[in-house]
Amino acid sequence: MKLVNIADEGAKYKWQLYDLYDKAFPEQEKKPLQVMENLVADGKMEMLAMVDEDEFVGLAINLIDAEQDRALLDYYAIVPEKRNYGYGSRGLEALLKKFKNHKYIFEIETQDEKAENAEERKKRKAFYLRNGLQETGLFVNVYDTDFEILTPDGELTFWEYVDFCEK
């Protein structure tokens, strides 16, 4: 599994990444592509295509704070026909390796048995915990959505999170 930046060597995967982004996330959670392209141009975001033997299998879009070696996984998705074949775990492993010297932040929807997607939320959290992430004990509300914060080491203060988000 390779992670290739669509701003350079991964440009040939750009439209596949944009298409998956458009289909994989609820409208209220998506940033406009122009906003994301501006963040990429400013060095505050990177859009990575996950590629297996030159085949596009998923995307990982990270907000970046290069000055303080911090990153936040903003969007993560595997193409539908590649799900349940280990690509999600392999992609996450590649991301954790890439950002091993960073404070890497993950926001997941909080567990809520009354939510329409309660089972999906439960599976998503189990996936991240199974693949090495740890609970921080932090919960936040962003864009009217409640999130739990995970990191590889389980360590992050509320003020570290706020500082990252204000950059």
PDB file of all heavy atoms in Angstrom, residues 24-35:
ATOM      1  N   ALA A  24     -18.619   9.380  -0.486  1.00  0.00           N
ATOM      2  CA  ALA A  24     -18.426   8.676   0.782  1.00  0.00           C
ATOM      3  C   ALA A  24     -18.856   9.452   2.023  1.00  0.00           C
ATOM      4  O   ALA A  24     -19.029   8.847   3.083  1.00  0.00           O
ATOM      5  CB  ALA A  24     -16.955   8.261   0.929  1.00  0.00           C
ATOM      6  N   PHE A  25     -19.025  10.766   1.907  1.00  0.00           N
ATOM      7  CA  PHE A  25     -19.282  11.564   3.109  1.00  0.00           C
ATOM      8  C   PHE A  25     -20.599  12.330   3.002  1.00  0.00           C
ATOM      9  O   PHE A  25     -20.953  12.816   1.930  1.00  0.00           O
ATOM     10  CB  PHE A  25     -18.116  12.535   3.355  1.00  0.00           C
ATOM     11  CG  PHE A  25     -16.815  11.817   3.538  1.00  0.00           C
ATOM     12  CD1 PHE A  25     -15.927  11.700   2.482  1.00  0.00           C
ATOM     13  CD2 PHE A  25     -16.502  11.214   4.747  1.00  0.00           C
ATOM     14  CE1 PHE A  25     -14.740  10.991   2.631  1.00  0.00           C
ATOM     15  CE2 PHE A  25     -15.323  10.509   4.899  1.00  0.00           C
ATOM     16  CZ  PHE A  25     -14.440  10.398   3.845  1.00  0.00           C
ATOM     17  N   PRO A  26     -21.304  12.448   4.138  1.00  0.00           N
ATOM     18  CA  PRO A  26     -22.556  13.223   4.133  1.00  0.00           C
ATOM     19  C   PRO A  26     -22.288  14.676   3.753  1.00  0.00           C
ATOM     20  O   PRO A  26     -21.232  15.229   4.079  1.00  0.00           O
ATOM     21  CB  PRO A  26     -23.041  13.133   5.586  1.00  0.00           C
ATOM     22  CG  PRO A  26     -22.275  12.014   6.209  1.00  0.00           C
ATOM     23  CD  PRO A  26     -20.990  11.894   5.441  1.00  0.00           C
ATOM     24  N   GLU A  27     -23.230  15.255   3.066  1.00  0.00           N
ATOM     25  CA  GLU A  27     -23.090  16.622   2.564  1.00  0.00           C
ATOM     26  C   GLU A  27     -22.679  17.605   3.656  1.00  0.00           C
ATOM     27  O   GLU A  27     -21.809  18.445   3.451  1.00  0.00           O
ATOM     28  CB  GLU A  27     -24.416  17.058   1.920  1.00  0.00           C
ATOM     29  CG  GLU A  27     -24.261  18.073   0.830  1.00  0.00           C
ATOM     30  CD  GLU A  27     -23.323  17.673  -0.301  1.00  0.00           C
ATOM     31  OE1 GLU A  27     -23.405  16.556  -0.825  1.00  0.00           O
ATOM     32  OE2 GLU A  27     -22.475  18.507  -0.654  1.00  0.00           O
ATOM     33  N   GLN A  28     -23.291  17.486   4.842  1.00  0.00           N
ATOM     34  CA  GLN A  28     -23.017  18.447   5.918  1.00  0.00           C
ATOM     35  C   GLN A  28     -21.604  18.309   6.489  1.00  0.00           C
ATOM     36  O   GLN A  28     -21.133  19.188   7.191  1.00  0.00           O
ATOM     37  CB  GLN A  28     -24.064  18.351   7.049  1.00  0.00           C
ATOM     38  CG  GLN A  28     -23.991  17.113   7.895  1.00  0.00           C
ATOM     39  CD  GLN A  28     -24.773  15.917   7.349  1.00  0.00           C
ATOM     40  OE1 GLN A  28     -25.173  15.906   6.185  1.00  0.00           O
ATOM     41  NE2 GLN A  28     -24.973  14.913   8.174  1.00  0.00           N
ATOM     42  N   GLU A  29     -20.919  17.201   6.194  1.00  0.00           N
ATOM     43  CA  GLU A  29     -19.562  16.993   6.709  1.00  0.00           C
ATOM     44  C   GLU A  29     -18.475  17.395   5.711  1.00  0.00           C
ATOM     45  O   GLU A  29     -17.307  17.426   6.055  1.00  0.00           O
ATOM     46  CB  GLU A  29     -19.360  15.527   7.101  1.00  0.00           C
ATOM     47  CG  GLU A  29     -20.171  15.111   8.311  1.00  0.00           C
ATOM     48  CD  GLU A  29     -19.940  13.656   8.693  1.00  0.00           C
ATOM     49  OE1 GLU A  29     -18.959  13.036   8.215  1.00  0.00           O
ATOM     50  OE2 GLU A  29     -20.749  13.144   9.483  1.00  0.00           O
ATOM     51  N   LYS A  30     -18.866  17.665   4.473  1.00  0.00           N
ATOM     52  CA  LYS A  30     -17.868  17.932   3.433  1.00  0.00           C
ATOM     53  C   LYS A  30     -17.501  19.399   3.350  1.00  0.00           C
ATOM     54  O   LYS A  30     -18.362  20.269   3.412  1.00  0.00           O
ATOM     55  CB  LYS A  30     -18.379  17.463   2.064  1.00  0.00           C
ATOM     56  CG  LYS A  30     -18.487  15.976   1.946  1.00  0.00           C
ATOM     57  CD  LYS A  30     -18.767  15.541   0.526  1.00  0.00           C
ATOM     58  CE  LYS A  30     -20.178  15.848   0.125  1.00  0.00           C
ATOM     59  NZ  LYS A  30     -20.570  15.152  -1.114  1.00  0.00           N
ATOM     60  N   LYS A  31     -16.205  19.625   3.193  1.00  0.00           N
ATOM     61  CA  LYS A  31     -15.712  20.965   2.883  1.00  0.00           C
ATOM     62  C   LYS A  31     -15.792  21.126   1.356  1.00  0.00           C
ATOM     63  O   LYS A  31     -15.580  20.155   0.623  1.00  0.00           O
ATOM     64  CB  LYS A  31     -14.251  21.112   3.302  1.00  0.00           C
ATOM     65  CG  LYS A  31     -13.997  21.106   4.790  1.00  0.00           C
ATOM     66  CD  LYS A  31     -12.492  21.194   5.061  1.00  0.00           C
ATOM     67  CE  LYS A  31     -12.178  21.205   6.528  1.00  0.00           C
ATOM     68  NZ  LYS A  31     -12.443  19.939   7.208  1.00  0.00           N
ATOM     69  N   PRO A  32     -16.043  22.326   0.863  1.00  0.00           N
ATOM     70  CA  PRO A  32     -15.988  22.529  -0.596  1.00  0.00           C
ATOM     71  C   PRO A  32     -14.581  22.208  -1.122  1.00  0.00           C
ATOM     72  O   PRO A  32     -13.579  22.518  -0.471  1.00  0.00           O
ATOM     73  CB  PRO A  32     -16.311  24.017  -0.756  1.00  0.00           C
ATOM     74  CG  PRO A  32     -17.028  24.394   0.509  1.00  0.00           C
ATOM     75  CD  PRO A  32     -16.433  23.530   1.581  1.00  0.00           C
ATOM     76  N   LEU A  33     -14.525  21.583  -2.293  1.00  0.00           N
ATOM     77  CA  LEU A  33     -13.230  21.210  -2.869  1.00  0.00           C
ATOM     78  C   LEU A  33     -12.315  22.421  -3.035  1.00  0.00           C
ATOM     79  O   LEU A  33     -11.107  22.321  -2.825  1.00  0.00           O
ATOM     80  CB  LEU A  33     -13.413  20.486  -4.201  1.00  0.00           C
ATOM     81  CG  LEU A  33     -13.903  19.044  -4.086  1.00  0.00           C
ATOM     82  CD1 LEU A  33     -14.224  18.484  -5.460  1.00  0.00           C
ATOM     83  CD2 LEU A  33     -12.886  18.176  -3.371  1.00  0.00           C
ATOM     84  N   GLN A  34     -12.877  23.567  -3.400  1.00  0.00           N
ATOM     85  CA  GLN A  34     -12.049  24.764  -3.583  1.00  0.00           C
ATOM     86  C   GLN A  34     -11.378  25.165  -2.268  1.00  0.00           C
ATOM     87  O   GLN A  34     -10.212  25.548  -2.246  1.00  0.00           O
ATOM     88  CB  GLN A  34     -12.881  25.927  -4.143  1.00  0.00           C
ATOM     89  CG  GLN A  34     -12.037  27.130  -4.508  1.00  0.00           C
ATOM     90  CD  GLN A  34     -10.984  26.803  -5.559  1.00  0.00           C
ATOM     91  OE1 GLN A  34     -11.300  26.279  -6.615  1.00  0.00           O
ATOM     92  NE2 GLN A  34      -9.734  27.107  -5.277  1.00  0.00           N
ATOM     93  N   VAL A  35     -12.096  25.049  -1.154  1.00  0.00           N
ATOM     94  CA  VAL A  35     -11.525  25.346   0.159  1.00  0.00           C
ATOM     95  C   VAL A  35     -10.370  24.385   0.445  1.00  0.00           C
ATOM     96  O   VAL A  35      -9.294  24.803   0.892  1.00  0.00           O
ATOM     97  CB  VAL A  35     -12.609  25.253   1.271  1.00  0.00           C
ATOM     98  CG1 VAL A  35     -11.981  25.279   2.655  1.00  0.00           C
ATOM     99  CG2 VAL A  35     -13.620  26.376   1.108  1.00  0.00           C
TER     100      VAL A  35
END
